[in-house]
């Protein structure tokens, strides 16, 4: 969630005329944790003599996100080829912001389906408990016979399958 802000801070530093190292240092000073810690580690690695490529690869390993990989690629390409790295970082920040907004909308729209999965999963157990209190004689067959245990096992398996299927339906990967 901090990536758009981080990208804009680095791009702003580059637009202000700072070098890449200075822009990253300015971003570290402005952004909060955990991005501050990760970028600080990247800068410390560079001060110890690690090349930018290796430091960015280590950052991508520590933060295995698509946005981190794109950030590292943009910095690598910008340092090798030159050009408008600030504009590239700003467009990447805009794309990341839009992606986060879409993911938030998807989470909100699929919340009903996720809740429905949990309710459908808990409903048989809650109903069975209520029936044990209301009509214990009729429910005794479920716990005292092997047929009752078999029915409970089948219901449990079907409930787990139902929960998994509903969760798979409402899970949308952006």
């Amino acid at each position: 969630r901090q990536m758009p802000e981080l990208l804009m801070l680095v791009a702003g530093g580059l637009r202000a005329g700072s070098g890449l190292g200075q822009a990253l240092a300015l971003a570290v000073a402005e952004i909060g944790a955990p991005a501050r810690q990760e970028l600080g580690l990247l800068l410390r690695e560079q001060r110890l003599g690690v090349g930018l490529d290796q430091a960015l690869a280590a950052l991508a390993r520590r933060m295995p996100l698509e946005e981190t990989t794109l950030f590292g690629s943009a910095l690598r390409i910008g340092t090798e080829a030159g050009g408008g790295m600030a504009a590239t970082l700003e467009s990447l920040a805009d794309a990341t912001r839009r992606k986060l907004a879409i993911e938030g909308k998807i989470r909100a729209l699929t919340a009903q389906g996720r809740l429905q999965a949990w309710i459908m999963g808990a409903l048989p157990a809650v109903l069975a408990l209520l029936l044990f209190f209301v009509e214990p004689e009729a429910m005794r067959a479920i716990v005292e016979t092997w047929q009752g245990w078999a029915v409970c096992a089948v219901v449990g398996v079907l409930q787990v399958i139902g929960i998994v299927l509903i969760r798979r339906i409402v899970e949308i990967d952006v």
Side-chain angles (χ1 to χ4, degrees):
R1 291 190 182 128
Q2 290 180 309
M3 281 305 286
E5 182 184 357
L6 170 66
L7 292 166
M8 290 304 291
L9 286 170
V10 174
L14 291 172
R15 285 214 187 271
S18 301
L20 180 60
Q22 291 173 325
L24 289 171
L26 289 171
V28 166
E30 293 293 323
I31 200 157
R36 171 186 288 156
Q37 297 158 338
E38 293 298 332
L39 274 183
L41 185 56
L42 178 120
L43 290 174
R44 274 185 252 126
E45 287 175 346
Q46 280 195 294
R47 276 188 235 127
L48 291 174
V50 175
L52 180 64
D53 287 343
Q54 293 172 337
L56 289 172
L59 177 69
R61 278 193 305 275
R62 288 190 308 269
M63 293 175 53
L65 301 170
E66 180 183 0
E67 291 81 9
T68 307
T69 305
L70 291 172
F71 174 63
S73 297
L75 292 182
R76 272 190 223 105
I77 292 169
T79 55
E80 291 174 9
M85 192 181 339
T88 304
L89 293 176
E90 287 172 351
S91 67
L92 181 58
D94 184 50
T96 303
R97 239 185 245 108
R98 282 187 274 136
K99 180 184 175 191
L100 288 172
I102 289 170
E103 287 175 348
K105 286 179 184 177
I106 288 171
R107 268 194 309 276
L109 293 172
T110 59
Q112 180 182 357
R114 290 192 309 271
L115 180 62
Q116 182 180 3
W118 288 111
I119 289 172
M120 293 300 291
L123 189 62
V126 170
L127 188 59
L129 284 173
L130 288 175
L131 287 174
F132 269 114
F133 286 122
V134 173
E135 205 53 53
E137 284 297 317
M139 294 300 289
R140 185 172 294 153
I142 288 181
V143 294
E144 291 181 354
T145 64
W146 68 270
Q147 293 94 347
W149 285 105
V151 167
C152 289
V154 169
V155 168
V157 169
L158 290 175
Q159 285 299 114
V160 169
I161 291 171
I163 290 171
V164 169
L165 288 177
I166 290 173
R167 301 247 338 152
R168 189 175 290 170
I169 288 170
V170 298
E171 182 178 311
I172 299 172
D173 190 24
V174 177

